[in-house]
């Protein structure tokens, strides 16, 4: 991965591609690279949908190698949702394939002059950019079927659905999984809208004829990978819970902890929890002939995903993840797994962030647009987004816009981005991450649920403010480098936080692959550098420390059953980035 592919979508005479060496960006990958390019090359005050914004797509440092779990793809830009810097990442096949083709990043720049839609093919022979308005407003599933018919069963797709074409701020970028299904999404922050603004419907990646990326020290790499895989298999979360029940194993756990946001963050426990839990979901899937065990890309040894089929055994969607089950389930008062699966399918097809859409529909329900618990109404509301009706466009712009449109105070967003599936009053450490992440409310930026709830990497009382600043700070630093920049799936965090030999195996993988000799401290410094760069962009874009806050009602409205408010002070929040 020694080159960057730049495609100027606004070039005179039509889109023009050129390849350049990494230059100053050498040694960076994934989020480290997307944020470095956005930070250096995108004017912070530009319009996110304008010609000056760039969409940067970057595999992780280890993507395309045989390192287990290394297939995440980072997508970065200035976010139409937050107005700040954005990196959203996804699994699926594109990262591994782009890595093998030698690309550290694909950068979409400029803006096409008309409404023409483009498809881009990247293969061993180079890049081919074609106009194709027949793809206009296709859902991701139909789009991928068309691409398969044209390019065969082995290519991977990075694409947008109608929401991206409409440039809605909740639009995602879809990546195909091992079965060429558009089920893995870089969901957050409206990255799909930026791809839509560039006029790119799909990037088709064909790595035929390319080999695995080779490590600098093959023997050490092989040994490290062995220890790495053994460590992931040994840990109870990565070796047992996630493979058995998927991420939705968390529904019962977080509900039990009283931090499962219910009906637009009004309660911390949901009566219908058992109907939508990971245990029920896995049983439903397997009894119908689906599967509760599936990897989203080759080389995944945890395999937290699955296949959700209907009562007749027909494929509906991939196993809805915990965040989706919560967003479209408890948060909207819905306890019907089939309805949640339909909502997940619609989100994937239209190209929408399930977290943002679940939070948005719950805000709309609070506004009286539909009743809490009305699954049919929720499905119709998502269909409004897909059709692009005026109501749909409001909803597709996210919870903050919807809250404003309907005059609702209780809107769970930070920097304009919806909170995920943990109430910050019941898990105060994740509240610190939501408030202070450079990305807006984002659990993956610093997953404090580990020590707050799961006793992984230590124990910090979830209901008290003590210890939360350090926890959220350290996790944000580690995440920026160790997972988001290497291409590693976030779920490795459980094993590396608890098992020093597994942590060391990851460091050894990075070093033996790159030929470097990084210590854990060096990698921590890299993580700090990434956060600093991102925060600096946000400040240049007009944000201040005052944007590192939760909405007021979390400080005033006690959350049952613990009847507790968010306890961490603003002064303490301001210390998170002060290391
Ligand atoms: S653990 Fe889950 S999300 Fe992570 S790579 Fe495997 S299937 Fe994908």
């Amino acid at each position: 991965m020694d080159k960057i592919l730049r495609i100027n979508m606004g070039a005179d005479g039509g889109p023009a591609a050129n390849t350049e060496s990494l230059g100053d960006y050498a040694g960076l990958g994934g989020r480290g690279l997307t944020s470095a390019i956005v930070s250096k090359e995108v004017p912070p005050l530009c319009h996110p949908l304008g010609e000056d914004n760039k969409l940067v797509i970057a595999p992780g440092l280890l993507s395309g190698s045989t390192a287990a779990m290394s297939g995440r793809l980072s997508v970065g830009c200035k976010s139409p949702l937050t107005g700040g810097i954005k990196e959203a990442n996804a699994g699926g096949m594109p990262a591994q394939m782009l890595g093998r083709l030698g690309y550290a990043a694909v950068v979409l720049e400029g803006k096409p002059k008309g409404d023409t839609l483009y498809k881009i093919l990247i293969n061993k022979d180079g890049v081919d950019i074609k106009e194709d308005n027949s793809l206009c407003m296709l859902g991701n599933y139909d789009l991928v079927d068309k691409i398969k018919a044209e390019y065969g069963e082995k290519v991977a797709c990075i694409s947008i659905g109608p929401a991206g074409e409409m440039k809605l701020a909740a639009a995602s970028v879809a990546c195909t999984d091992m079965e060429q299904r558009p089920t893995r999404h870089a969901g957050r922050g409206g990255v799909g809208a930026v791809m839509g603004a560039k006029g790119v419907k799909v990037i088709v990646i064909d790595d035929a004829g390319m080999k695995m990326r080779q490590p600098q020290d093959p023997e050490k790499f092989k040994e490290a990978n062995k220890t790495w895989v053994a460590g992931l298999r040994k840990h109870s979360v990565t070796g047992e819970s996630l493979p058995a029940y998927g991420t939705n194993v968390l529904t019962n756990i977080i509900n039990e902890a009283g931090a499962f946001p219910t009906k637009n963050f009004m309660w911390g426990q949901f009566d219908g929890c058992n109907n939508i839990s990971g245990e029920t979901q896995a049983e439903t899937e397997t009894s119908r002939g689906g599967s509760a065990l599936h990897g989203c890309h080759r080389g995944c040894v945890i395999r937290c995903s699955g296949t959700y089929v209907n009562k007749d055994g027909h494929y509906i969607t991939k196993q809805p993840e915990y965040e989706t089950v919560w967003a479209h389930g408890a948060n909207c008062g819905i306890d019907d797994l089939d309805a949640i699966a339909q909502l997940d399918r619609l989100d994937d097809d239209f190209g929408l962030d399930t977290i943002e859409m679940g939070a948005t529909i719950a805000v709309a329900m609070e506004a009286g647009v539909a009743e809490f618990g009305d699954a049919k109404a929720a499905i119709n509301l998502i269909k409004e987004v897909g059709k692009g009706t005026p109501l749909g466009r409001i909803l597709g712009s996210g919870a903050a816009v919807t809250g404003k449109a309907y005059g609702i105070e209780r809107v769970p967003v930070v920097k304009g981005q919806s909170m995920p599936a943990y109430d910050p009053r019941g898990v105060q450490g994740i509240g610190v991450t939501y408030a202070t992440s450079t990305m807006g409310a984002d659990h993956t930026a610093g997953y404090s649920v580990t020590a707050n709830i799961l006793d992984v990497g230590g124990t910090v009382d979830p209901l008290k403010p003590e210890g939360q600043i350090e926890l959220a700070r350290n996790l944000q630093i580690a995440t920026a480098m160790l997972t988001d920049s290497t291409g590693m799936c976030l779920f490795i965090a459980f094993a590396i936080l608890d098992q020093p030999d597994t942590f060391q195996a990851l460091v050894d993988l990075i070093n033996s692959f790159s030929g470097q000799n990084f210590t854990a401290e060096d990698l921590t410094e890299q993580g700090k550098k990434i956060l600093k760069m991102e925060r600096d962009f946000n400040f240049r874009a007009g944000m201040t420390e005052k944007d590192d806050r939760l909405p007021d009602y979390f400080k005033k409205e006690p959350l049952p059953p613990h009847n507790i408010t968010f306890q961490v002070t603003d002064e303490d929040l301001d210390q998170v980035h002060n290391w």
Side-chain angles (χ1 to χ4, degrees):
M1 293 200 322
D2 55 357
K3 54 190 177 183
I4 294 179
L5 171 63
R6 290 185 187 265
I7 303 176
N8 180 358
M9 297 304 299
D12 290 337
N18 81 291
T19 303
E20 61 185 34
S21 66
L22 273 166
D24 289 348
Y25 300 122
L28 301 176
R31 174 176 169 185
L33 183 53
T34 62
S35 288
I37 294 176
V38 172
S39 170
K40 185 169 171 197
E41 300 182 16
V42 173
L45 296 174
C46 75
H47 195 291
L49 303 178
E51 63 178 354
D52 290 336
N53 201 2
K54 300 190 181 194
L55 190 78
V56 187
I57 299 169
L61 284 168
L62 294 167
S63 302
S65 75
T66 54
M69 313 297 304
S70 63
R72 299 296 287 194
L73 185 76
S74 289
V75 182
C77 57
K78 174 172 173 170
S79 164
L81 190 73
T82 70
I85 201 163
K86 173 55 60 184
E87 184 265 358
N89 60 62
M93 292 304 293
Q96 304 280 30
M97 292 167 77
L98 266 182
R100 270 167 223 147
L101 285 160
Y103 293 106
V106 176
V107 186
L108 302 180
E109 309 180 336
K111 194 171 180 173
K113 308 233 178 321
D115 289 333
T116 305
L117 212 48
Y118 292 89
K119 67 182 172 203
I120 299 171
L121 171 69
I122 304 175
N123 62 15
K124 67 176 174 27
D125 301 321
V127 184
D128 185 33
I129 307 167
K130 280 200 175 83
E131 292 185 14
D132 193 345
N133 285 322
S134 74
L135 306 178
C136 188
M137 294 303 270
L138 281 185
N140 279 310
Y141 274 90
D142 282 349
L143 168 72
V144 170
D145 279 348
K146 249 186 131 173
I147 295 295
K148 267 157 64 175
E150 190 174 351
Y151 296 99
E153 304 275 325
K154 295 206 169 130
V155 298
C157 293
I158 302 170
S159 64
I160 55 169
E165 285 186 57
M166 289 186 274
K167 305 174 201 72
L168 301 178
S172 63
V173 168
C175 293
T176 45
D177 61 16
M178 286 202 287
E179 288 74 27
Q180 280 186 314
R181 289 167 173 159
T183 59
R184 321 309 300 192
H185 288 240
R188 312 240 58 200
V191 290
V194 179
M195 188 157 158
K198 301 298 175 203
V200 177
K201 178 73 175 174
V202 59
I203 301 173
V204 183
I205 306 162
D206 181 357
D207 69 346
M210 302 306 290
K211 294 207 171 78
M212 287 280 178
R213 291 176 65 213
Q214 292 304 311
Q216 295 292 319
D217 184 339
E219 272 318 301
K220 202 173 159 204
F221 182 81
K222 204 169 150 197
E223 203 44 47
N225 208 17
K226 230 166 103 188
T227 313
W228 175 236
V229 171
L232 294 170
R233 293 208 165 117
K234 179 170 73 177
H235 193 276
S236 62
V237 176
T238 50
E240 291 167 29
S241 314
L242 285 171
Y245 304 115
T247 53
N248 195 18
V249 69
L250 284 165
T251 284
N252 272 333
I253 297 170
I254 304 301
N255 192 61
E256 184 66 25
F260 195 46
T262 297
K263 297 188 182 173
N264 193 27
F265 288 75
M266 267 191 272
W267 292 280
Q269 284 182 326
F270 179 46
D271 287 346
C273 168
N274 279 338
N275 295 339
I276 60 172
S277 69
E279 291 80 348
T280 307
Q281 188 178 41
E283 199 185 308
T284 308
E285 284 163 349
T286 42
S287 69
R288 290 175 176 181
S291 161
L293 185 68
H294 177 263
C296 71
H297 66 78
R298 274 196 284 281
C300 167
V301 296
I302 298 176
R303 297 194 290 165
C304 79
S305 190
T307 311
Y308 196 94
V309 299
N310 67 12
K311 288 179 181 134
D312 301 325
H314 294 123
Y315 173 84
I316 300 291
T317 187
K318 90 283 192 186
Q319 173 175 280
E321 294 184 32
Y322 168 65
E323 301 295 333
T324 308
V325 170
W326 158 77
H328 282 310
N331 198 42
C332 295
I334 295 169
D335 66 354
D336 176 349
L337 276 177
D338 286 328
I340 292 167
Q342 271 189 62
L343 287 158
D344 183 68
R345 165 72 182 228
L346 289 171
D347 284 342
D348 282 358
D349 201 32
F350 297 148
L352 289 163
D353 174 14
T354 59
I355 296 175
E356 194 65 44
M357 290 322 300
T360 300
I361 288 175
V363 167
M365 284 174 161
E366 181 155 335
V369 177
E371 294 287 319
F372 279 109
D374 187 343
K376 223 164 141 192
I379 289 167
N380 284 335
L381 288 177
I382 294 289
K383 286 184 178 168
E384 295 282 318
V385 183
K387 285 188 276 194
T389 63
L391 171 61
R393 284 172 188 262
I394 290 172
L395 299 170
S397 300
V401 167
T402 301
K404 272 191 190 143
Y406 285 96
I408 295 295
E409 185 202 346
R410 301 182 72 264
V411 181
V413 299
V414 178
K415 302 182 177 80
Q417 181 168 286
S418 292
M419 288 180 194
Y422 315 86
D423 195 297
R425 293 161 291 189
V427 191
Q428 306 251 331
I430 207 76
V432 176
T433 295
Y434 290 166
T436 61
S437 162
T438 50
M439 299 292 152
D442 178 357
H443 61 301
T444 68
Y447 193 62
S448 308
V449 177
T450 46
N452 273 179
I453 303 288
L454 304 171
D455 293 331
V456 166
T459 303
V460 177
D461 188 332
L463 303 178
K464 297 205 170 119
E466 289 80 23
Q468 310 296 2
I469 298 298
E470 296 73 22
L471 178 64
R473 176 196 294 138
N474 292 338
L475 286 170
Q476 287 190 61
I477 292 168
T479 303
M481 180 59 210
L482 291 175
T483 56
D484 291 352
S485 294
T486 57
M488 286 290 172
C489 172
L490 179 70
F491 302 134
I492 65 157
F494 301 104
I496 64 172
L497 284 167
D498 267 350
Q499 299 168 177
D501 57 331
T502 312
F503 177 85
Q504 188 54 46
L506 176 58
V507 176
D508 292 345
L509 274 176
I510 296 168
N511 283 337
S512 56
F513 189 79
S514 62
Q516 303 286 338
N517 201 13
F518 294 127
T519 61
E521 290 70 35
D522 295 333
L523 296 170
T524 301
E525 285 309 309
Q526 297 270 15
K528 287 180 182 171
K529 241 174 156 169
I530 294 166
L531 291 183
K532 207 162 168 249
M533 186 162 66
E534 293 171 346
R535 196 165 153 84
D536 173 65
F537 181 93
N538 284 350
F539 277 45
R540 286 186 285 131
M543 290 188 192
T544 70
E545 287 174 335
K546 306 280 178 296
D547 291 289
D548 289 347
R549 303 287 183 261
L550 299 186
D552 275 353
Y553 73 91
F554 287 99
K555 297 177 213 162
K556 293 177 180 161
E557 198 181 288
L559 178 76
H562 298 294
N563 295 316
I564 188 168
T565 55
F566 185 63
Q567 303 282 306
V568 182
T569 65
D570 292 351
E571 293 69 36
D572 283 345
L573 289 176
D574 290 341
Q575 294 310 308
V576 169
H577 291 277
N578 186 13
W579 47 72

